C-alpha cells in the first residue's frame, strides 16, 4: 500500500545552481576582493554561533559586525513589548512592531559611521543586519522554519534578545508568535526582491543555498501546481497511536497527538534543486505571491493570510482532548488583535465503538452555574461534572461536525480527527482538562475567564442536532461519482465538499485556494486539464493544496480501492 510521504518535495527545473555545506558555500560567496559590505540577515532563531564558527571564521581579513550587539538589551526589549507579551502563559496581543524600533538610533549611527571607515570587506550578520546596512553590496538571507525554532526553544534556546533559556516552551512560543515572527516577516517581505542568496539553516551544520533569483522563481513555481507542505508531528497528554502505524512514524515515541500537515503559517516547503534541497517556511509563498496562490477574491478579503487549516488529532489508545471553546470575532479582535477567529470542524477519519465528541451544552443549562463548577474544578480536588452540562455524542468514520466559535467542544477517545478550520490556530480557551498536567509536568493552562465570555448556551442540544451534526447534502450524483456538501456551518466562511468516485472526479476551485485530503482510498493523482502541471500523486491521509489560479482539475483513482473519497475546503465567496 502506498505510504504517507513525510518529506514531500517540489522539484525545481529552471535554476542556475545550488550549493550544500559550508565549504561549497564559502567558495561561492564573494568574501574576497575590493571594499564591500555583505549583510547576512537572520531570521530570529538562526544559530549565530554556527555561522561564526563555520562560515565567518574563514574571513581573517574581514571586519565582522554582529547586528544583535547593537539592538537594545534583553531587559529593555522585554519591557518595551510587555503589552504585547502580557502576563498570560499562552496568549499575547498581536504586535505591529518593526525591527528598526529595537535599535537605538545613536548606537546605530555610531556603528554605521565606523563601518564607513573600514577598509576592505565588512560582514554584518544577525537579526537586523539590514537595519545597520540597508543597501549592502551583497544580501544573504538566512531563513529557518517555525517548527525548527520551536524545537530549539524546547532544547533550551532563548528567544531573540531575551534571557529566557529556562522559561517554559509555551511562553517562548508566545513571544515568537505575537512578536518576533511578525516583526521578522515584515522585514523579510521587504527584502524579498533584494535577496542575492537564500541560506537554509534548518539542519545544524548542514546548510544549503540558492541564489535570490532562483529562490524567487521557485516560490512562484510553487503557486503554479498542486503541492504539499512538510508535515510535523508532536506528542500530547491525550495523544494516540494511529498515526504511528499509518504514517510510519517513530514507533519508540510514546504517542503522537498532533499532525500539522496543512498550516502554511507553521509548515514549510521543500524545494529540490537537483541534488540540493532547500526548505523554507511556506508562509513565504503566501507573503510573496498571495494572488496567485489564494486568488483575487480571497486575497481581497484576507490579505496575505492563508485562511484554511488542516491538521490531525489522534486519540486512539489515548484520552479526551481538553474541553474548550473558541472566541467570537469581536473578542479575538479586541483582546488579541487578530482579524478573524478560529471556527472549525471535526471530520472523523477513524473511530470505534468508544469514539465520541462533546459538542454544545445541554438544553436548559445555566451558564453561571456551569462556569462556577469549571472554576471549582480548576482549583483541584473536584471533577467537573461534564455529563451534567455538555452533550456527548457517539461518532463514526466519515462523520463531520461543524464547530462555530462559541460552541463548547471536545474530542473523545479512540478517534482520529481531521480538523478543518480557520487559521488562527492557538486561540483555544481550555475550560476543563480532566485534571491532567502537561508532558512537562506543569498543570496545563486553562482560560475560564476568556472562555466564559465566549460560551454560547444557545448552542444547546436541540440546536446542535439541527445545525452541526453531519450536514450532508448531495450536490450531484452519477453511477460512479457523488459530490456532497459537508459543511461548515453557515456562520463559518469555509465550505467543504466531499467527492466520492470510482475512476475520476472533475473539481472546481470556486474562486478560492483549495485545501484537500484523501480521506478514503490508497492513492490518487491530481491532473491538469491543459497540461499546465505534471500529474501530482497523493496518498491516503495526505493534505494537499491547489492554488486558485488552477480553476479546474481532475482527481484520478490510481490505487486498488474500488472507491475513494477526497474532502475539499475553500473560502465561500460572499
Amino acid at each position: 500500500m502506498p505510504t504517507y510521504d513525510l518529506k514531500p518535495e517540489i522539484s525545481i527545473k529552471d535554476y542556475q545552481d545550488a550549493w550544500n555545506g559550508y565549504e561549497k558555500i564559502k567558495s561561492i560567496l564573494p568574501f574576497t576582493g575590493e571594499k564591500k559590505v555583505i549583510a547576512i540577515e537572520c531570521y530570529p532563531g538562526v544559530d549565530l554561533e554556527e555561522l561564526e564558527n563555520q562560515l565567518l571564521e574563514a574571513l581573517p581579513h574581514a571586519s565582522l559586525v554582529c547586528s544583535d550587539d547593537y539592538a537594545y538589551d534583553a531587559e529593555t526589549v522585554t519591557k518595551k513589548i510587555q503589552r504585547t507579551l502580557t502576563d498570560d502563559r499562552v496568549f499575547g496581543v498581536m504586535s505591529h512592531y518593526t525591527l528598526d524600533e529595537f535599535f537605538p538610533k545613536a548606537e546605530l549611527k555610531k556603528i554605521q559611521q565606523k563601518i564607513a571607515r573600514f577598509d576592505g570587506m565588512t560582514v554584518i550578520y544577525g537579526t537586523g543586519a539590514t537595519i545597520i546596512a540597508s543597501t549592502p553590496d551583497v544580501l544573504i538571507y538566512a531563513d529557518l522554519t517555525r517548527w525548527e525554532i520551536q524545537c530549539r526553544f524546547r532544547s533550551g534556546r532563548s528567544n531573540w534578545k531575551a534571557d529566557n533559556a529556562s522559561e517554559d516552551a509555551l511562553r517562548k512560543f508566545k513571544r515568537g508568535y505575537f512578536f518576533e515572527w511578525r516583526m521578522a516577516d515584515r522585514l523579510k517581505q521587504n527584502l524579498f526582491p533584494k535577496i542575492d542568496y537564500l541560506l537554509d539553516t534548518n539542519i545544524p551544520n548542514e546548510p544549503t543555498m540558492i541564489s535570490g533569483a532562483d529562490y524567487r522563481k521557485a516560490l512562484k513555481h510553487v503557486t503554479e501546481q498542486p503541492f504539499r507542505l512538510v508535515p510535523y508531528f508532536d506528542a500530547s497528554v491525550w495523544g494516540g497511536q494511529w498515526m504511528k502505524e499509518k504514517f510510519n512514524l517513530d514507533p519508540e515515541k510514546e504517542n503522537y497527538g498532533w499532525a500539522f500537515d496543512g498550516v502554511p503559517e507553521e509548515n514549510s516547503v521543500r524545494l529540490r534543486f537537483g541534488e540540493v534541497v532547500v526548505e523554507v517556511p511556506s508562509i513565504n509563498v503566501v507573503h510573496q505571491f498571495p494572488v496567485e496562490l489564494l486568488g483575487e477574491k480571497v486575497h481581497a478579503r484576507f490579505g496575505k493570510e492563508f485562511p484554511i487549516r488542516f491538521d490531525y488529532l489522534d486519540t486512539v489508545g489515548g484520552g479526551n482532548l481538553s474541553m474548550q471553546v473558541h472566541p467570537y470575532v469581536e473578542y479575538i479582535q479586541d483582546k488579541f488583535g487578530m482579524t478573524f477567529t478560529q471556527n472549525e470542524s471535526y471530520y472523523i477519519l477513524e473511530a470505534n465503538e468508544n469514539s465520541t465528541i462533546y459538542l454544545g451544552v445541554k438544553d436548559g443549562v445555566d451558564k453561571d452555574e456551569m462556569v462556577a463548577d469549571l472554576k471549582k474544578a480548576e482549583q483541584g480536588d473536584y471533577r467537573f461534572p461534564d455529563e451534567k452540562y455538555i452533550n456527548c455524542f457517539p461518532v463514526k468514520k466519515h462523520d463531520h461536525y461543524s464547530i462555530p466559535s462559541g460552541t463548547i467542544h471536545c474530542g473523545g477517545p479512540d478517534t482520529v480527527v481531521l480538523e478543518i478550520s480557520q487559521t488562527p490556530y492557538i486561540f483555544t480557551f481550555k475550560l476543563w482538562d480532566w485534571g491532567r498536567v502537561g508532558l512537562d509536568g506543569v498543570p496545563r493552562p486553562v482560560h475560564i475567564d476568556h472562555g466564559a465570555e465566549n460560551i454560547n448556551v444557545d448552542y444547546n442540544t436541540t440546536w446542535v442536532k439541527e445545525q452541526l451534526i453531519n450536514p450532508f447534502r448531495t450536490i450531484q450524483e452519477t453511477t460512479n461519482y457523488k459530490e456532497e456538501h459537508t459543511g461548515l456551518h453557515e456562520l463559518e466562511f469555509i465550505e467543504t465538499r466531499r467527492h466520492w468516485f470510482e475512476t475520476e472526479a472533475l473539481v472546481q476551485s470556486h474562486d478560492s485556494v483549495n485545501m484537500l485530503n484523501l480521506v478514503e482510498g490508497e492513492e490518487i493523482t491530481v491532473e491538469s486539464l491543459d497540461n499546465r502541471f505534471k500529474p501530482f500523486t497523493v496518498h491516503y491521509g495526505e493534505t494537499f493544496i491547489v492554488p486558485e489560479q488552477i480553476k479546474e482539475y481532475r482527481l484520478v483513482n490510481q490505487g486498488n480501492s474500488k472507491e475513494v473519497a477526497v474532502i475539499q475546503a475553500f473560502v465561500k465567496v460572499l
Side-chain angles (χ1 to χ4, degrees):
M1 181 177 179
T3 57
Y4 184 98
D5 188 353
L6 296 171
K7 293 185 176 181
E9 296 177 347
I10 301 166
S11 180
I12 308 300
K13 300 299 183 185
D14 181 20
Y15 67 96
Q16 294 299 311
D17 211 340
W19 307 274
N20 56 18
Y22 280 112
E23 291 306 312
K24 288 185 179 179
I25 290 171
K26 283 188 285 190
S27 70
I28 295 299
L29 293 177
F31 280 154
T32 59
E34 73 283 359
K35 179 182 175 76
K36 64 167 68 79
V37 174
I38 297 175
I40 307 177
E41 182 65 56
C42 299
Y43 203 79
V46 169
D47 190 336
L48 299 187
E49 185 176 350
E50 179 185 314
L51 288 182
E52 292 164 349
N53 295 335
Q54 299 290 343
L55 187 62
L56 303 181
E57 55 84 26
L59 309 173
H61 302 297
S63 299
L64 302 181
V65 176
C66 180
S67 57
D68 293 54
D69 294 341
Y70 297 89
Y72 287 120
D73 60 32
E75 182 179 357
T76 303
V77 171
T78 299
K79 185 176 180 180
K80 185 179 178 71
I81 65 172
Q82 187 55 47
R83 188 171 181 182
T84 284
L85 292 181
T86 75
D87 294 325
D88 192 275
R89 186 180 171 201
V90 176
F91 300 119
V93 178
M94 194 61 71
S95 78
H96 291 89
Y97 292 111
T98 54
L99 189 55
D100 61 286
E101 296 179 69
F102 297 88
F103 286 79
K105 288 182 171 54
E107 294 300 313
L108 198 60
K109 185 175 182 180
K110 286 181 184 178
I111 186 58
Q112 289 169 337
Q113 291 174 341
K114 186 176 180 181
I115 291 170
R117 295 193 296 269
F118 286 159
D119 291 324
M121 179 176 54
T122 302
V123 179
I124 309 167
Y125 65 98
T127 300
T130 54
I131 302 302
I132 293 176
S134 59
T135 57
D137 298 296
V138 179
L139 172 57
I140 303 165
Y141 195 94
D143 215 347
L144 190 65
T145 67
R146 289 190 186 172
W147 176 235
E148 176 59 25
I149 294 170
Q150 291 177 63
C151 290
R152 295 182 185 189
F153 284 162
R154 295 179 185 183
S155 67
R157 186 70 58 87
S158 295
N159 291 82
W160 181 73
K161 302 304 294 185
D163 185 17
N164 66 342
S166 61
E167 194 170 49
D168 76 77
L170 284 177
R171 291 186 181 275
K172 291 180 181 179
F173 177 87
K174 177 186 70 172
R175 188 172 178 130
Y177 183 91
F178 288 96
F179 166 55
E180 290 173 6
W181 302 339
R182 309 302 158 182
M183 177 178 65
D185 284 345
R186 289 188 183 98
L187 178 62
K188 188 195 296 187
Q189 290 180 67
N190 291 335
L191 295 177
F192 180 76
K194 308 172 187 177
I195 293 172
D196 294 300
Y197 296 95
L198 188 286
L199 185 66
D200 167 10
T201 68
N202 284 287
I203 303 176
N205 299 307
E206 297 182 22
T208 58
M209 190 178 75
I210 52 175
S211 72
D214 286 337
Y215 172 56
R216 287 182 282 273
K217 286 192 295 185
L219 289 196
K220 190 173 188 302
H221 181 61
V222 171
T223 70
E224 297 169 348
Q225 62 187 323
F227 65 96
R228 287 190 61 224
L229 308 178
V230 180
Y232 67 84
F233 304 85
D234 207 4
S236 175
V237 294
W238 39 260
Q241 306 298 314
W242 183 86
M243 288 190 294
K244 281 188 191 181
E245 176 186 353
K246 294 296 182 180
F247 298 162
N248 294 317
L249 304 179
D250 186 352
E252 300 302 315
K253 295 291 186 181
E254 183 176 348
N255 73 65
Y256 289 97
W258 294 96
F260 283 75
D261 71 338
V263 189
E265 189 170 304
E266 284 284 296
N267 291 121
S268 57
V269 289
R270 286 169 58 89
L271 308 171
R272 175 166 288 280
F273 300 82
E275 298 300 314
V276 177
V277 173
V278 174
E279 186 170 350
V280 297
S282 48
I283 195 67
N284 293 6
V285 183
V286 183
H287 287 161
Q288 298 307 326
F289 298 101
V291 175
E292 293 87 341
L293 177 62
L294 304 176
E296 289 185 350
K297 294 179 180 178
V298 176
H299 175 245
R301 189 171 175 185
F302 294 99
K304 295 182 178 182
E305 293 194 59
F306 195 101
I308 308 171
R309 178 192 85 168
F310 277 26
D311 63 83
Y312 283 107
L313 309 171
D314 178 359
T315 66
V316 174
N320 293 341
L321 306 180
S322 60
M323 198 76 71
Q324 57 193 243
V325 68
H326 299 303
Y328 298 129
V329 173
E330 61 267 29
Y331 195 88
I332 202 171
Q333 289 174 341
D334 181 56
K335 300 295 183 182
F336 308 111
M338 301 296 291
T339 54
F340 58 96
T341 194
Q342 186 173 326
N343 290 308
E344 63 186 26
S345 71
Y346 284 0
Y347 187 90
I348 308 302
L349 204 63
E350 196 65 49
N352 62 28
E353 64 277 4
N354 299 318
S355 303
T356 57
I357 184 174
Y358 297 81
L359 191 63
V361 299
K362 293 188 174 180
D363 291 340
V365 161
D366 182 281
K367 181 176 176 178
D368 292 339
E369 181 185 355
M370 179 177 65
V371 170
D373 271 349
L374 286 168
K375 290 184 174 181
K376 184 177 179 181
E378 182 184 11
Q379 302 306 312
D381 298 324
Y382 177 73
R383 181 191 178 281
F384 175 69
D386 58 278
E387 67 283 351
K388 177 180 178 181
Y389 297 108
I390 313 299
N391 300 308
C392 184
F393 302 105
V395 301
K396 63 182 184 301
K397 187 178 176 71
H398 293 307
D399 281 352
H400 199 184
Y401 298 84
S402 295
I403 310 172
S405 61
T407 310
I408 289 184
H409 62 283
C410 171
D414 290 336
T415 310
V416 179
V417 171
L418 175 64
E419 192 172 41
I420 301 172
S421 66
Q422 298 168 196
T423 304
Y425 55 93
I426 72 166
F427 293 93
T428 296
F429 300 145
K430 294 184 181 69
L431 304 171
W432 163 241
D433 201 36
W434 313 95
R436 298 177 297 210
V437 298
L439 295 177
D440 55 4
V442 178
R444 301 230 297 163
V446 295
H447 290 87
I448 296 173
D449 287 341
H450 281 312
E453 293 292 321
N454 291 277
I455 296 169
N456 192 333
V457 292
D458 289 333
Y459 294 174
N460 57 21
T461 308
T462 302
W463 190 84
V464 165
K465 287 182 177 180
E466 291 176 351
Q467 300 282 332
L468 304 185
I469 299 176
N470 291 331
F472 299 150
R473 172 173 54 84
T474 298
I475 296 172
Q476 57 175 314
E477 185 171 11
T478 63
T479 303
N480 58 9
Y481 171 70
K482 180 166 68 170
E483 179 182 11
E484 302 167 290
H485 176 276
T486 69
L488 281 53
H489 190 263
E490 62 180 11
L491 297 179
E492 305 176 73
F493 63 67
I494 294 173
E495 182 170 331
T496 54
R497 304 255 180 115
R498 187 169 58 191
H499 303 269
W500 289 96
F501 54 96
E502 295 180 10
T503 54
E504 63 180 48
L506 193 61
V507 180
Q508 310 294 321
S509 73
H510 301 284
D511 294 324
S512 166
V513 64
N514 287 190
M515 185 170 275
L516 310 95
N517 188 287
L518 179 59
V519 296
E520 185 71 37
E522 292 183 356
E523 182 180 295
I524 62 170
T525 51
V526 188
E527 300 183 2
S528 172
L529 303 186
D530 57 5
N531 297 315
R532 293 176 61 189
F533 57 85
K534 291 183 178 180
F536 179 77
T537 300
V538 177
H539 304 120
Y540 172 70
E542 293 180 347
T543 293
F544 61 102
I545 295 170
V546 177
E548 187 273 345
Q549 63 176 311
I550 302 172
K551 305 293 185 181
E552 190 175 36
Y553 50 96
R554 182 183 293 110
L555 307 176
V556 182
N557 184 4
Q558 301 289 359
N560 295 319
S561 305
K562 183 178 185 299
E563 187 177 40
V564 300
V566 172
I567 193 156
Q568 171 198 22
F570 55 90
V571 176
K572 291 184 284 192
V573 178
L574 300 181

